[in-house]
Amino acid sequence: MHEMTRRNFLKVLGAAFAVSSLTGLAKPKTGFAAGAETLEFRIKDATETTSICCFCSLGCGGIASVVEGKLVSFEGDPDSPINEGGLCSKGAAQFNVVNVYNPETGDMTLNPKRLTKPKYRAAGASEWEEVEWDWIIRRIAEKVKETRDASFETISNGVTVNRTQAIAHLGCGALPCEDLGPLQKLQRALGIIYIEHQARL
């Protein structure tokens, strides 16, 4: 009887692996067990539309797949010269801003945490209440005008300044330069001097 050495052990192990591999190749294989449902891609009957990722101002191109008015997939657009089909982790996950999969049933449902209407908390209140867009936009405009009128400076040490130091503006990284340009002009026209951007923080 031969002594079991490291070399002999590796030979036996290699032979056993080769035999098991050949046996596996010889066996007929089926994709699904008998009676199992055939899986289908969720974009099978989808209408594809090119779009732009909403997460930052880079403007990466994407392909939105829609079935019966519902977004079922979002992937990078290979024809986009900006991202050439790639998406960052946020862009690749933006499908889940709208939809999530129920871990118990596996069905796709609307994301229950997604806000579709603005929420407002009155001064001194402890709870947020859901309000309409028209109301909140008017409310913001009223507060901006009220604050600006109460704090607007026209003359300082004999110099016309036309400014307010009571309002600050923070830009959003999701806005491209085409949106930020007019927005910057609006803030300057209101006399706001404390203007910052999310990307610098």
Side-chain angles (χ1 to χ4, degrees):
M1 186 173 181
H2 294 288
E3 182 183 353
M4 181 58 74
T5 63
R6 182 175 179 273
R7 181 181 297 274
N8 290 337
F9 174 75
L10 292 176
K11 285 180 181 179
V12 173
L13 186 64
F17 178 76
V19 170
S20 64
S21 298
L22 292 174
T23 304
L25 290 174
K27 288 183 179 178
K29 293 188 177 181
T30 55
F32 300 96
E37 295 182 2
T38 302
L39 298 179
E40 292 185 354
F41 290 110
R42 65 172 180 244
I43 61 173
K44 177 186 174 188
D45 300 317
T47 301
E48 294 185 346
T49 306
T50 55
S51 184
I52 302 296
C53 177
C54 66
F55 273 112
C56 77
S57 59
L58 290 180
C60 292
I63 299 175
S65 299
V66 179
V67 176
E68 297 179 357
K70 295 180 180 179
L71 180 69
V72 297
S73 176
F74 188 85
E75 57 189 313
D77 184 359
D79 293 329
S80 170
I82 298 173
N83 57 312
E84 297 180 339
L87 288 175
C88 72
S89 57
K90 291 189 295 182
Q94 70 177 306
F95 166 74
N96 295 112
V97 171
V98 181
N99 305 290
V100 293
Y101 281 96
N102 187 321
E104 297 178 358
T105 64
D107 296 331
M108 183 176 65
T109 60
L110 290 176
N111 188 344
K113 296 184 178 180
R114 184 189 183 209
L115 297 179
T116 57
K117 285 189 176 182
K119 289 194 171 185
Y120 171 76
R121 190 179 69 177
S126 59
E127 300 294 330
W128 293 85
E129 59 178 312
E130 195 173 86
V131 295
E132 296 298 325
W133 281 104
D134 289 343
W135 184 88
I136 198 69
I137 290 174
R138 276 198 310 272
R139 178 68 174 166
I140 293 171
E142 290 169 358
K143 296 301 289 184
V144 167
K145 185 176 188 311
E146 177 186 322
T147 304
R148 182 178 184 272
D149 289 348
S151 62
F152 199 66
E153 305 172 40
T154 54
I155 301 293
S156 176
N157 297 326
V159 178
T160 302
V161 290
N162 292 336
R163 70 185 182 196
T164 174
Q165 299 189 61
I167 305 174
H169 181 267
L170 177 63
C172 172
L175 296 177
C177 293
E178 291 78 8
D179 292 332
L180 290 174
L183 192 56
Q184 174 83 226
K185 292 179 180 179
L186 172 62
Q187 308 311 314
R188 299 293 185 188
L190 289 171
I192 298 174
I193 58 174
Y194 299 123
I195 301 175
E196 189 51 274
H197 192 272
Q198 170 194 351
R200 281 169 36 88
L201 301 181

